[in-house]
Amino acid sequence: MKPAYTIYGALGSGSVPVEATLTLLGQAYTVVEAPTWEGETEQAKVASVNPMKQIPALVTPQGETITESAAILIWLADNHPAAGLAPAIGDPRRGQFLRWMTFIPASIYSLFWVRDEPARLAGPDPEAQARVKAATADRIADCWAMMDAQVEPGAYILGETLTVLDLYVAVVSRWGSRRVRFYERAPKMADVVRRVDADPRLAEFWERRFPFVEDWESKGASG
Ligand SMILES: N[C@@H](CCC(=O)N[C@@H](CS)C(=O)NCC(=O)O)C(=O)O
């Protein structure tokens, strides 16, 4: 039987919250492994579905392609409402849900385009690259702190039920400084992401797609 969904993605990447969502939804999916940051061969795998040559990209059972991590997550949650992975339209939490689902890609995720390859904006000068890398790390930490100050989590960011927002924050917060600065600057959400890390429904999934290797929270942390 043909799997319903195809996700273009890679280990530890922005496809991971999407894959985690499909896992919680019990939906069949296949992953086209395309670590785009490794170069042109990998980018070519995704170019036909996403001209930005970025992952994640989702192809739905109906054959529609959806790019942009937040759009994919919201779409999946909205299209499987029984799972309760997003507050529905009319739910009083909907506004804050959309607010933070938009804030993460606009203010944080997008900075990794520069941070992962500072030469993209800083040019070839190593000192300029180091400055850009440090400045993006500071900005990311400031954005997490600002978000943390504005949310009032229960067990999860929007209250007592897990939503795709929690999966998104749990993954994006692991990039860059491997949560070292995130834990310092976003103490309320720190408790939430640890809860998401420990969710037994996702234990096998995390092990396969974004493992918690020994010392992962500090090893190689570069700010
Ligand atoms: N706005 C996009 C950003 C996606 C993105 O930056 N993906 C990374 C991997 S996590 C990527 O493919 N980077 C390669 C590149 O931008 O060249 C989204 O939210 O899905």
Side-chain angles (χ1 to χ4, degrees):
M1 195 177 75
K2 197 169 176 290
Y5 290 95
T6 303
I7 174 82
Y8 291 73
L11 286 177
S13 76
S15 69
V16 169
V18 176
E19 297 170 40
T21 300
L22 288 164
T23 302
L24 290 179
L25 292 173
Q27 294 294 312
Y29 65 96
T30 48
V31 179
V32 177
E33 205 68 23
T36 41
W37 55 87
E38 287 180 9
E40 285 178 15
T41 308
E42 299 300 327
Q43 288 172 356
K45 290 185 192 167
V46 77
S48 60
V49 289
N50 185 2
M52 290 290 280
K53 300 179 187 166
Q54 290 182 328
I55 52 171
L58 181 77
V59 182
T60 71
Q62 294 73 31
E64 181 186 3
T65 298
I66 309 175
T67 66
E68 302 307 313
S69 50
I72 297 169
L73 290 167
I74 296 168
W75 187 92
L76 280 173
D78 283 354
N79 278 274
H80 298 90
L85 290 180
I89 292 173
D91 185 306
R93 298 168 304 160
R94 183 76 178 182
Q96 295 307 300
F97 171 70
L98 293 176
R99 176 187 183 190
W100 300 119
M101 287 301 293
T102 307
F103 177 78
I104 291 168
S107 299
I108 298 175
Y109 193 164
S110 55
L111 288 176
F112 284 95
W113 184 81
V114 189
R115 190 179 152 65
D116 290 348
E117 228 176 288
R120 279 173 159 162
L121 292 189
D125 175 12
E127 279 178 27
Q129 289 175 18
R131 270 200 307 278
V132 165
K133 200 159 173 143
T136 50
D138 288 347
R139 175 68 179 167
I140 289 165
D142 287 348
C143 286
W144 284 129
M146 198 286 298
M147 179 175 172
D148 201 66
Q150 300 287 309
V151 294
E152 289 170 23
Y156 298 100
I157 295 171
L158 298 173
E160 298 310 319
T161 55
L162 180 142
T163 71
V164 291
L165 176 62
D166 301 294
L167 298 171
Y168 206 15
V169 172
V171 172
V172 176
S173 63
R174 290 179 65 182
W175 299 338
S177 75
R178 292 173 173 78
R179 291 219 193 122
V180 173
R181 294 181 76 179
F182 178 84
Y183 287 148
E184 284 166 15
R185 303 290 308 278
K188 289 188 273 180
M189 291 195 291
D191 289 342
V192 171
V193 292
R194 288 187 174 111
R195 183 167 291 106
V196 176
D197 295 347
D199 191 316
R201 296 170 300 169
L202 291 171
E204 182 277 331
F205 172 78
W206 292 134
E207 182 60 30
R208 199 162 33 81
R209 298 301 287 165
F210 207 173
F212 301 104
V213 294
E214 204 185 342
D215 294 336
W216 72 271
E217 286 163 310
S218 57
K219 204 167 149 198
S222 56

